[in-house]
Amino acid sequence: MITFFLVGLTVHVVFFLSIFDIYFTSPLVHGMTPQATSLAPPASRLVLVVADGLRADSLFTLLPNGSSRAPYLRSVLEEKGTWGVSHTRVPTESRPGHVALIAGFYEDVSAVAKGWKENPVEFDSVFNESRHTWSWGSPDILPMFAKGASGDHVYTYTYPAQEEDFASTDASRLDSWVFSQVKSFFQLAKSNSSLRASLLEDKNVFFLHLLGIDTNGHAHRPMSQEYLDNIGLVDTGVAELVSIVEDFFDYDGRTAYVFTSDHGMTNWGSHGAGHPSETLTPLIVWGAGVHNAQRVTEPQPYNDGYLQDWNLEHLRRVDVGQADIAPLMASLIGVPIPVNSVGVLPLPYLNNTDLFKAENMYTNAIQVLEQFKVGQHASLLLLTCILLTESKQAEFIHKARILIQLEKYEDAISLCQSLISYSLEGLVYYHTYDRFFLGCSVVLGFVGWTSYVVLVILKTHASLNRHPSLLKQVRDPSHTLAKLCMCVTVVITVFLLIQRSPVTYYIYCLLPVPIWYSLLVGFFMSCNVHLADHKLFTVCRVYHVQCEVSLLWMSVYLCCPQVVSFFHRAMLTVGLAILSIWPFMSGLFGKAKFRSLSWFLGCLFLALFPLMPVVGREPNIHLVTCAGLLTLFTSVCYLWSSRQRTPLHLSDRQQFVTQMFHVAVCAYVPSLTHSSLQQKQGLPLLNQIISWITLGSSMLVPLLSSTRIFHRLLSIFLSLTATYLLLSTGSEALFPPVLSWLMFVWINIEQEAMLAQGVSGRQEVEPLCICLNIAASLSLINFQVFFIITAFFGTGNIASINSFDPASVYCFLTVFNPFIMGGLMMWKVIIPFIIVMCTFETIQVTGCELQTIINFNSISHSSPQHFFFLVQDYGSWLDIGTSISHYVIVMSMTIFLMLLSVVTHILTSQRLILWRRPKYLLI
């Protein structure tokens, strides 16, 4: 069994890692030659201002009195600049947004596995191509562009990371610091001759990263006065900045300005997903080489209604993709477009000759085509992209060059845009060329492993024995299968060698071979089985048949909501509604009315949570306090109802009193913390200490509790709920108490079913027929799978993790730290999982239905096979067309559940003591 567990864990880890090799490989290629235009640029320097977290509507929408909260920027777009909306892509985070703005490509998906490192992949940027770049702002953004640049011409000035505090009295001081530093910098340059000489050179960039708006949005929401006032502060700072820069360069008219944002923000203060409030950011460009504001009378090609809402329908609007800003900035100051850029130069922003526009568009096309060429040669694949063969590439380039020489600039620009489009399609083609093949290999391996696990469990635990007389008549198929598998292995290896594939490709493609070999050999050897004892049919009683058939049908009804819930969370409500009538269908209601009614109400209460919104909820700390009181009430009820069967010893009583007092404290800490933050007094140190101690002790305190299963389970529930309360901001805090209530009722109902069959403790009984054995095991495991899915989707899913409310972690920390914050949120998601897993373990230990119907002793917690069988349910609906995000969820859950089995075993340990005290097994 240890070997089986290790092999299974290895197989699932390989399948999980394959996701990153198939879907999260870097699209970047290297070795391209930088492309530049020989014509003189209109600007000698560029000032880039990025207001982090600024929504387009927050900047452009007028106040009720008709004025603007950003009067200077409003005057710029109405008089001397060109404006539009910059459309960002998911993930709408700070790093991807700045990479798109400055490097011209959308975040390398392979960086997902590398986190917030300064430069997880090598890439070119406008800063790298510039002569000098001076930047001021956040320590999270600036260093990654400085360390990624060649040479030492990118200079950064950052404030300490501790200043990024969501509990700050006024986060706008971060922006004030930037403007103050820039002002001091230019004052210093007036007296520093070497610095002044560098500033007077061409191809220079000044970058201001303003984080105050984003921080205020997280802390106070985008509709708050703090957020809106910060926009006014930035507007005033930009006006002063322009005055300082123009004064220093004697108003030479050679400075271009770009004002934009990396991403927006939702109404509830988060970003990361694809809501329009997150993907629509403002873009205002003015200065040297940029068109002045152009008034229009005809309708513009935008039907989103924003022009009317912002009272800007009379001014030309030019929307761009966020990556298009990089080639625009490069063209304005005459530096090569970043070699990794996939942006298309937005010509309507340029105020220059048609020749300049055509030449820069031609340069843009050659730069993108260079990426296609390098990617084509690096792939060494057997097929070629029919859109851009080498002859077609030469034809495009030659024709574009001729059109420019003939001064047919519009035709040349149109041709170059087509070349860019084909090149980008070709890049996608080569990047995803082997995705289908690898996907088929992984799915084939996963299906094979699923089938093999089912076969092993049925052979080992379903009373299936090979017939000796029939085995003599059957030829051993292993030799034939071995030869076939060797041939398949050779063919796959040769194919991968021809393509010079990475080593990991061999693992993904060859792993299914031994899996299917083992499956087929086991299947053929098991074809000749018979029932060990035909008298088994005679021991089936009417009650057993009724209960098992109802369970089987219940499992069938639950399968549909399980699958659909991955796409539509509300389907869990349907499943819980079906599950609520289980006691009535199985006949348990007549034997345990109170517990059946508790089950019915528990399912209905739990069914409300999937109907609640995942994100966008306003914090309601009063519900957290109510959840704490509910936890205390249910705990007291549990202890009171079980006082006769499992009396508390003095040490147990002291621990439970301590834990319940701890829960009461943790229910009050969020209210005290948020009250302090609202008064802008910061995070109280005592609250922070209590929170971290609670988190650290949540897995240790239950180990000090009684070895009685009921007491151990209640201790786990209290300890984990205390941590969950500290990570909650509203109605989700009620989820663990309601879930735990239902789990305790489930344990009692299973025991009632066992007692109703005339079985007590762990007494052995005669097994039912094989078909009912399988039905019972599938039914109970389906119940567990359904509750595990409910634990994950009950209060949130990947969307809520991606767009979580930072207020959830304010009891632990308020200074921005994505690793710690993300870890806390993941632990919050794990807590309901552990509750369900411990419940299922309790059902097994107490000798409930599955172990009394089937001789399931060997599939206890010391044997992980039932976990393998459990997680295969997630893979049954997988196919090639399944979306990446759901595939990631499935594979993550698979490994996650197996690791949780270890945690569950630790929490419910000391089994030997339990076996010696069978009177404590029943709750």
Side-chain angles (χ1 to χ4, degrees):
M1 289 302 100
I2 294 178
T3 303
F4 183 79
F5 179 83
L6 293 177
V7 171
L9 183 61
T10 301
V11 168
H12 283 86
V13 168
V14 169
F15 289 158
F16 178 76
L17 294 178
S18 70
I19 299 171
F20 295 94
D21 256 355
I22 298 174
Y23 299 106
F24 292 90
T25 52
S26 174
L28 300 184
V29 292
H30 303 282
M32 292 80 67
T33 303
Q35 303 293 317
T37 305
S38 58
L39 300 178
S44 298
R45 66 201 68 90
L46 173 79
V47 178
L48 171 62
V49 181
V50 178
D52 201 308
L54 177 60
R55 293 162 42 147
D57 59 341
S58 298
L59 179 68
F60 293 137
T61 302
L62 296 176
L63 298 173
N65 60 7
S67 62
S68 172
R69 60 176 55 93
Y72 176 76
L73 291 172
R74 183 78 180 195
S75 66
V76 167
L77 69 89
E78 288 182 343
E79 299 171 6
K80 55 181 180 181
T82 301
W83 75 283
V85 173
S86 172
H87 296 264
T88 69
R89 289 190 185 180
V90 176
T92 47
E93 301 287 353
S94 292
R95 178 194 159 83
H98 283 87
V99 167
L101 286 170
I102 301 167
F105 69 91
Y106 298 101
E107 177 67 292
D108 176 11
V109 291
S110 68
V112 171
K114 302 176 182 178
W116 274 68
K117 291 185 178 179
E118 292 171 345
N119 213 22
V121 291
E122 294 182 3
F123 59 85
D124 191 19
S125 69
V126 174
F127 295 173
N128 184 46
E129 297 292 350
S130 68
R131 191 179 305 278
H132 299 285
T133 293
W134 291 272
S135 55
W136 299 266
S138 168
D140 297 319
I141 299 298
L142 304 188
M144 67 183 182
F145 293 102
K147 293 187 178 181
S150 58
D152 56 354
H153 63 282
V154 179
Y155 311 99
T156 60
Y157 305 90
T158 63
Y159 39 75
Q162 293 74 16
E163 294 295 320
E164 302 176 13
D165 191 348
F166 295 134
S168 169
T169 55
D170 187 7
S172 63
R173 75 182 190 283
L174 301 177
D175 299 342
S176 300
W177 182 92
V178 171
F179 289 123
S180 175
Q181 290 293 313
V182 174
K183 183 178 180 180
S184 301
F185 173 80
F186 280 101
Q187 289 177 347
L188 175 63
K190 292 180 179 180
S191 58
N192 188 320
S193 58
S194 60
L195 177 58
R196 179 179 177 83
S198 298
L199 291 176
L200 293 177
E201 292 180 311
D202 61 352
K203 301 179 181 180
N204 286 338
V205 176
F206 304 95
F207 172 43
L208 284 71
H209 176 243
L210 308 176
L211 189 61
I213 293 177
D214 182 76
T215 306
N216 271 320
H218 285 307
H220 307 289
R221 305 295 185 268
M223 301 305 173
S224 65
Q225 196 60 44
E226 290 84 355
Y227 183 91
L228 301 178
D229 288 346
N230 204 153
I231 297 176
L233 182 146
V234 168
D235 180 75
T236 303
V238 171
E240 186 178 3
L241 168 69
V242 173
S243 176
I244 293 172
V245 171
E246 293 296 330
D247 178 69
F248 183 87
F249 294 105
D250 296 326
Y251 299 91
D252 62 356
R254 298 281 297 173
T255 306
Y257 300 90
V258 176
F259 179 87
T260 186
S261 176
D262 55 346
H263 56 76
M265 186 170 290
T266 61
N267 290 338
W268 52 92
S270 69
H271 54 80
H275 192 272
S277 61
E278 301 168 88
T279 60
L280 302 182
T281 58
L283 175 62
I284 304 176
V285 187
W286 71 100
V290 181
H291 266 301
N292 291 331
Q294 297 185 356
R295 299 185 177 273
V296 295
T297 55
E298 66 278 1
Q300 301 191 55
Y302 302 102
N303 54 7
D304 49 23
Y306 293 131
L307 287 170
Q308 292 74 23
D309 295 342
W310 300 336
N311 196 23
L312 290 171
E313 62 271 19
H314 61 288
L315 296 173
R316 186 178 66 162
R317 167 183 167 185
V318 183
D319 284 12
V320 300
Q322 194 172 42
D324 300 338
I325 299 176
L328 173 62
M329 294 190 296
S331 299
L332 288 173
I333 59 176
V335 300
I337 298 174
V339 295
N340 300 118
S341 172
V342 296
V344 182
L345 178 62
L347 294 178
Y349 280 87
L350 295 179
N351 181 20
N352 215 310
T353 63
D354 292 338
L355 173 61
F356 181 84
K357 295 179 181 179
E359 286 287 355
N360 276 274
M361 184 58 72
Y362 177 81
T363 302
N364 193 180
I366 297 299
Q367 168 261 321
V368 177
L369 182 61
E370 281 287 315
Q371 295 184 72
F372 172 80
K373 289 181 178 180
V374 173
Q376 180 182 17
H377 293 301
S379 61
L380 293 173
L381 298 173
L382 302 179
L383 299 180
T384 340
C385 179
I386 59 175
L387 295 175
L388 273 182
T389 60
E390 292 188 5
S391 59
K392 288 187 177 181
Q393 296 174 28
E395 180 183 348
F396 269 111
I397 296 173
H398 178 72
K399 188 175 180 179
R401 199 69 261 173
I402 293 297
L403 288 174
I404 293 176
Q405 292 175 359
L406 296 176
E407 298 184 357
K408 295 182 179 180
Y409 301 122
E410 291 186 2
D411 295 337
I413 289 173
S414 177
L415 185 64
C416 290
Q417 290 173 338
S418 300
L419 180 58
I420 292 175
S421 177
Y422 290 145
S423 299
L424 294 178
E425 289 182 32
L427 280 173
V428 174
Y429 171 81
Y430 282 114
H431 178 56
T432 60
Y433 178 83
D434 52 1
R435 182 171 294 178
F436 180 80
F437 172 69
L438 291 176
C440 288
S441 299
V442 171
V443 171
L444 186 64
F446 194 88
V447 171
W449 176 253
T450 301
S451 306
Y452 178 72
V453 171
V454 172
L455 180 64
V456 169
I457 289 181
L458 291 180
K459 286 175 60 179
T460 309
H461 306 291
S463 302
L464 296 175
N465 299 320
R466 286 174 288 185
H467 199 294
S469 61
L470 289 177
L471 282 176
K472 296 179 182 179
Q473 306 172 13
V474 179
R475 184 179 178 182
D476 187 2
S478 59
H479 297 296
T480 305
L481 287 174
K483 293 178 182 179
L484 178 62
C485 290
M486 286 298 297
C487 294
V488 173
T489 301
V490 171
V491 171
I492 294 175
T493 303
V494 171
F495 177 74
L496 295 176
L497 283 172
I498 293 175
Q499 296 194 136
R500 299 185 184 179
S501 301
V503 176
T504 53
Y505 282 27
Y506 290 87
I507 299 175
Y508 307 144
C509 297
L510 294 178
L511 184 60
V513 176
I515 291 177
W516 278 93
Y517 170 78
S518 303
L519 171 64
L520 294 176
V521 169
F523 176 76
F524 285 125
M525 297 300 291
S526 302
C527 283
N528 304 285
V529 298
H530 75 298
L531 295 177
D533 189 355
H534 292 284
K535 294 181 180 179
L536 290 172
F537 288 95
T538 62
V539 301
C540 294
R541 291 175 297 201
V542 175
Y543 180 82
H544 287 133
V545 175
Q546 177 190 3
C547 185
E548 288 308 307
V549 170
S550 65
L551 280 172
L552 183 59
W553 280 107
M554 192 69 66
S555 299
V556 174
Y557 290 140
L558 286 178
C559 283
C560 180
Q562 285 179 32
V563 175
V564 180
S565 63
F566 278 82
F567 306 93
H568 303 284
R569 184 167 155 262
M571 280 302 297
L572 289 175
T573 299
V574 177
L576 287 167
I578 296 173
L579 204 60
S580 66
I581 61 176
W582 168 45
F584 306 98
M585 293 181 62
S586 62
L588 290 173
F589 179 73
K591 299 176 175 54
K593 291 184 174 59
F594 178 76
R595 289 181 174 85
S596 299
L597 185 61
S598 298
W599 172 270
F600 177 75
L601 294 177
C603 288
L604 293 185
F605 285 145
L606 198 64
L608 298 176
F609 288 94
L611 300 178
M612 296 180 180
V614 178
V615 293
R617 298 170 296 199
E618 287 296 325
N620 191 337
I621 305 301
H622 297 297
L623 291 178
V624 179
T625 306
C626 293
L629 296 177
L630 178 61
T631 301
L632 296 176
F633 175 75
T634 53
S635 301
V636 171
C637 291
Y638 295 153
L639 292 173
W640 179 263
S641 62
S642 64
R643 68 188 186 282
Q644 297 295 334
R645 289 172 293 182
T646 53
L648 287 172
H649 297 302
L650 179 61
S651 58
D652 299 335
R653 189 181 300 112
Q654 291 175 345
Q655 178 169 351
F656 281 126
V657 169
T658 303
Q659 283 193 274
M660 285 189 283
F661 176 75
H662 189 196
V663 169
V665 172
C666 291
Y668 178 67
V669 166
S671 176
L672 185 62
T673 299
H674 285 261
S675 175
S676 176
L677 295 181
Q678 286 180 352
Q679 298 174 13
K680 299 184 178 181
Q681 296 177 355
L683 172 61
L685 179 60
L686 178 61
N687 293 9
Q688 191 174 20
I689 294 174
I690 292 174
S691 300
W692 284 108
I693 291 177
T694 301
L695 176 66
S697 63
S698 59
M699 297 297 292
L700 300 177
V701 172
L703 300 180
L704 304 176
S705 65
S706 169
T707 57
R708 302 175 181 180
I709 281 292
F710 169 71
H711 293 163
R712 175 62 60 87
L713 196 61
L714 181 58
S715 179
I716 293 170
F717 162 59
L718 289 172
S719 183
L720 294 178
T721 302
T723 304
Y724 200 93
L725 293 174
L726 296 172
L727 292 168
S728 300
T729 59
S731 58
E732 79 275 13
L734 297 167
F735 184 72
V738 176
L739 178 65
S740 300
W741 169 25
L742 186 59
M743 294 296 99
F744 274 98
V745 175
W746 185 22
I747 297 172
N748 280 274
I749 282 188
E750 293 288 354
Q751 292 179 350
E752 288 294 336
M754 177 185 64
L755 294 174
Q757 298 172 13
V759 182
S760 62
R762 297 189 62 85
Q763 177 183 348
E764 297 291 341
V765 298
E766 292 183 281
L768 295 179
C769 60
I770 296 302
C771 62
L772 291 183
N773 285 351
I774 299 173
S777 61
L778 290 177
S779 299
L780 189 59
I781 290 175
N782 264 308
F783 270 44
Q784 186 197 10
V785 171
F786 180 79
F787 281 129
I788 284 177
I789 296 176
T790 303
F792 181 71
F793 289 108
T795 59
N797 51 25
I798 291 298
S800 62
I801 297 174
N802 196 35
S803 297
F804 77 94
D805 187 352
S808 300
V809 299
Y810 282 172
C811 291
F812 294 86
L813 76 166
T814 56
V815 176
F816 178 69
N817 190 314
F819 292 113
I820 297 179
M821 290 180 170
L824 290 172
M825 292 306 300
M826 288 304 299
W827 179 243
K828 180 180 178 182
V829 172
I830 288 174
I831 287 175
F833 275 93
I834 297 179
I835 293 175
V836 174
M837 297 288 281
C838 290
T839 300
F840 188 71
E841 171 68 3
T842 300
I843 291 175
Q844 294 188 82
V845 171
T846 55
C848 289
E849 184 177 66
L850 186 58
Q851 288 144 313
T852 57
I853 296 178
I854 306 175
N855 187 12
F856 212 55
N857 295 335
S858 57
I859 312 183
S860 64
H861 218 72
S862 59
S863 170
Q865 282 185 330
H866 67 283
F867 286 104
F868 286 119
F869 188 63
L870 160 69
V871 297
Q872 303 311 322
D873 186 83
Y874 293 112
S876 60
W877 54 276
L878 283 177
D879 54 32
I880 299 299
T882 304
S883 66
I884 300 175
S885 59
H886 291 94
Y887 193 65
V888 172
I889 295 173
V890 168
M891 297 307 300
S892 302
M893 274 186 160
T894 299
I895 300 175
F896 168 69
L897 284 173
M898 288 189 292
L899 295 178
L900 266 188
S901 67
V902 179
V903 175
T904 308
H905 175 67
I906 294 174
L907 289 175
T908 56
S909 59
Q910 297 172 311
R911 297 272 300 281
L912 292 177
I913 298 178
L914 287 168
W915 295 121
R916 297 169 189 163
R917 301 162 69 181
K919 64 180 181 179
Y920 296 140
L921 291 177
L922 292 179
I923 297 176

